[in-house]
């Protein structure tokens, strides 16, 4: 009995050592293949990294579930929002004719897009679910231009790794990796259920990212930057969410 | 300390030859306590997340504008939710979600190690699978009656799980835990984009959330019964067996 347990102790010790070593190797590989999220530091870094890495490996090209027209929720929830600021109200008074989306950073042709310009590109629609981290959800038909189309027009440089996008509300900005930025269902959305996108749902312009939770689908977007590092943005955690204690990657 | 344990005669018990014999292998003890820690973390963080929207639905979608299946009579951490309470609790979802997923990862990995090791060491077969003879109605009904009468466990049970214990543990390991993991993953937008059947088989994302809630309740119920039974069987000896290993019975009188 005693010998057996000693032998067992040694083998489990060796197994633990092997485990720690392979963890180190895994961390290196993960870093190289872009499987480490910008908010990997801190006590929850392990969980965030495991979730992001595994979902990136499993879901790089998968498509968010799309639903039939009959499954569209009767009322898309306009959820609670901070009060709209002066700058927004002024643009709203002008029917959003002067709303602009600027794209810069690691692109060949930085530029500014008006709503009319964005609407002139081939539009796409998707009937997808918007799920909030709180637990509620609704299904709606979103219309817009795929983000990849706008990025192609701007000409992303090969070293680009993230797209950072900003709301007119200075406290709301997010970023996504290129897998999500170039994903066919990632839209710059301007329409909801066949109509203009209501202000309550993020109109006139909202980033729509159906494979992540609602807070990544930033409302009232005005600015985008393509970058190879998130260090220079805010506290360097990737977006406003981690600064408020929320995960940068919100696929779960 | 100097417990001289009389060797039980139960067929499935591991006989002890010396005082050094252990009731639970080190592997079982370590995974047990990691699981305990993770479960408590998941429970606390899970409650926190529920507070942000204490309403449950069936089907694909559900929100404050739709009819809930039921709602919990508790205040919420969001102004949007009509709870009937005149106040809103502070938002705790950030760390709660992070802790929930981190604990889930550790629990799932620990569980996998436990299953693999349990399979190869024979722990599952020897300690958890009930003997054929134990599955007769006579044995089962006696065991149930003994439990209902709160009859104290026999000496043999300090060494081996009784049949109801075995069935309960198997149910938790092979039914409740897989179900709670499945329903958890079914709520992940990205995960179901790759594996849509995970959620469609359950009837939708909100159904998954509701089932997740109920399975968690069952797990909490198991935990409570588990603690009561440990208490009843002799808290000190059972805790000692699960922490440092030696079996035995409590010295204090009933």
């Amino acid at each position: 009995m005693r010998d057996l347990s000693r032998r067992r102790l040694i083998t489990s010790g060796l197994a633990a050592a092997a485990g720690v070593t392979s963890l180190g190797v895994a961390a290196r590989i993960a870093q190289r293949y872009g499987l480490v999220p910008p908010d990997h530091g801190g006590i929850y870094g392990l969980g965030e990294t495991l979730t992001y890495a595994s979902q990136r490996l499993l879901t790089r090209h998968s498509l968010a579930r799309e639903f039939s027209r009959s499954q569209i929720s009767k009322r898309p929830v306009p959820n609670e929002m901070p009060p709209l600021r002066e700058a927004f109200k002024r643009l709203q008074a002008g029917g959003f004719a002067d709303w602009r989306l600027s794209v810069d950073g690691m692109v060949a042709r930085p530029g500014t897009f008006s709503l009319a310009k964005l609407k002139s590109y081939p539009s796409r629609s998707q009937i997808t679910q918007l799920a909030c981290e709180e637990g509620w959800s609704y299904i709606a038909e979103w219309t817009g231009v795929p983000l990849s189309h706008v990025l192609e027009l701007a000409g992303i440089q090969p070293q680009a790794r993230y797209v950072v996008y900003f709301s007119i509300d200075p406290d709301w900005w997010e970023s996504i990796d290129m897998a999500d930025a170039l994903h066919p269902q990632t839209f710059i959305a301007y329409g909801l259920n066949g109509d203009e996108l209501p202000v309550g749902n993020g109109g006139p312009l909202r980033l729509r990212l159906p494979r992540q939770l609602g807070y990544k689908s930033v409302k009232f977007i005005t600015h985008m930057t393509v970058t190879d590092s998130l260090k220079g943005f805010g506290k360097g955690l990737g977006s406003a969410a981690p600064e408020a204690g929320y995960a940068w990657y919100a696929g779960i | 300390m100097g417990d001289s344990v009389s060797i039980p005669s139960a067929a499935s018990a591991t006989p002890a030859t010396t005082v050094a014999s252990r009731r639970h292998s080190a592997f079982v003890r370590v995974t047990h306590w990691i699981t305990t820690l993770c479960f408590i973390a998941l429970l606390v963080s899970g409650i926190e997340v529920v507070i942000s929207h204490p309403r449950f639905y069936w089907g694909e979608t559900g929100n404050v504008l739709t009819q809930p299946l039921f709602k919990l009579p508790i205040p919420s951490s969001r102004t949007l939710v009509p709870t009937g309470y005149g106040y809103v609790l502070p938002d705790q979802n950030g760390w709660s979600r992070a802790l929930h997923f981190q604990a889930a990862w550790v629990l799932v990995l620990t569980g996998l190690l436990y299953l693999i090791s349990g399979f190869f060491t024979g722990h599952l077969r020897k300690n958890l699978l009930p003997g054929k003879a134990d599955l007769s109605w006579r044995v089962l009904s006696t065991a149930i009656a003994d439990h209902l009468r709160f009859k104290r466990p026999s000496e043999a049970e300090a060494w081996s799980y009784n049949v109801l214990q075995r069935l309960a543990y198997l149910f938790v390991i092979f039914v409740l835990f897989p179900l709670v993991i499945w329903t958890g993953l079914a709520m992940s937008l990205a995960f179901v984009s790759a594996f849509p059947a995970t959620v469609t088989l359950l009837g939708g994302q909100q159904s998954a959330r509701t089932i997740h809630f109920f399975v968690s309740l069952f797990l909490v119920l198991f935990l409570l019964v588990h603690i009561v039974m440990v208490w009843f069987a002799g808290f000190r000896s059972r805790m000692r067996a699960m922490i440092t290993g030696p079996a035995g019975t409590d010295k204090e009188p009933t």
Side-chain angles (χ1 to χ4, degrees), chain B residues 132-215:
Chain B
K132 270 222 178 80
D134 280 350
L135 284 177
S136 70
W137 278 117
R138 200 180 50 79
V139 177
L140 276 176
S141 54
T142 315
I144 293 169
D146 284 352
H147 274 76
L148 290 178
R149 272 190 236 109
F150 286 91
K151 199 178 149 198
R152 289 220 164 248
S154 69
E155 191 91 321
E157 286 179 35
W159 289 101
S160 169
Y161 300 139
N162 68 56
V163 61
L164 290 187
Q165 223 175 342
R166 286 168 186 248
L167 292 176
Y169 294 168
L170 286 175
F171 187 70
V172 166
I173 294 166
F174 290 103
V175 179
L176 293 184
F177 270 122
L179 208 52
V180 87
I181 295 164
W182 173 10
T183 50
L185 285 172
M187 281 186 270
S188 159
L189 293 168
F191 186 84
V192 302
S193 72
F195 307 101
T198 330
V199 62
T200 50
L201 282 174
L202 298 171
Q205 199 211 25
Q206 292 297 333
S207 306
R209 180 171 177 262
T210 300
I211 300 169
H212 194 73
F213 174 74
F214 280 111
V215 179

Side-chain angles (χ1 to χ4, degrees), chain A residues 25-107:
Chain A
V25 174
R28 281 249 173 109
I29 295 172
Q31 194 77 52
R32 171 172 304 175
Y33 290 97
L35 299 177
V36 178
D39 56 344
H40 65 271
I43 47 170
Y44 300 122
L46 174 73
E48 298 297 344
T49 307
L50 283 170
T51 301
Y52 177 57
S54 57
Q55 293 211 342
R56 220 357 112 245
L57 291 173
L58 290 171
T59 71
R60 188 171 292 272
H61 301 292
S62 61
L63 293 175
R65 290 193 303 147
E66 299 210 13
F67 299 86
S68 69
R69 216 158 278 269
S70 63
Q71 287 174 289
I72 291 175
S73 302
K74 284 199 182 63
R75 286 185 292 173
V77 187
N79 60 320
E80 54 210 311
M81 278 190 303
L84 298 161
R85 292 169 200 244
E86 264 320 299
F88 184 90
K89 286 182 183 155
R90 233 178 301 128
L91 289 163
Q92 189 176 23
F96 298 121
D98 294 328
W99 192 276
R100 295 289 180 274
L101 174 68
S102 58
V103 180
D104 57 23
M106 291 186 158
V107 288

Side-chain angles (χ1 to χ4, degrees), chain A residues 43-44 47 50-51 54-55 59 62-63 65 77 80 129 133-137 139 212-213 245-246 249 251-252, chain B residues 52-53 60-63 65 78-80 91 93-94 97-99 102 105 188-190 193-194 199 205-206 209:
Chain A
I43 47 170
Y44 300 122
L50 283 170
T51 301
S54 57
Q55 293 211 342
T59 71
S62 61
L63 293 175
R65 290 193 303 147
V77 187
E80 54 210 311
Q129 194 168 40
E133 38 80 27
E134 296 162 15
W136 53 270
S137 59
I139 292 172
Q212 293 200 41
L213 294 171
Y246 282 83
Y249 178 72
I252 188 162
Chain B
S52 72
H53 198 84
E60 283 292 357
T61 58
N63 52 62
L65 302 179
R78 294 297 191 281
T79 48
L80 195 70
D91 170 26
N93 264 17
R97 288 171 44 79
L99 178 61
Q102 177 147 301
W105 269 110
S188 159
L189 293 168
S193 72
V199 62
Q205 199 211 25
Q206 292 297 333
R209 180 171 177 262

Side-chain angles (χ1 to χ4, degrees), chain B residues 19-36:
Chain B
V19 267
S21 295
R22 298 285 187 256
R23 169 69 189 89
H24 303 290
S25 71
F27 194 77
V28 167
R29 281 179 276 140
V30 170
T31 51
H32 173 269
W33 291 112
I34 294 176
T35 305
T36 310

Side-chain angles (χ1 to χ4, degrees), chain A residues 198-211:
Chain A
V199 169
N201 299 91
L205 218 50
R206 179 176 197 176
L207 196 104
R208 181 69 188 117
L209 192 70
R211 297 191 306 169

Side-chain angles (χ1 to χ4, degrees), chain B residues 27 112-125 174:
Chain B
F27 194 77
L112 280 177
L113 272 180
Y114 170 83
L115 282 182
I116 293 167
S117 152
F119 182 79
F120 285 106
T121 59
H123 164 68
L124 294 179
R125 188 171 42 80
F174 290 103

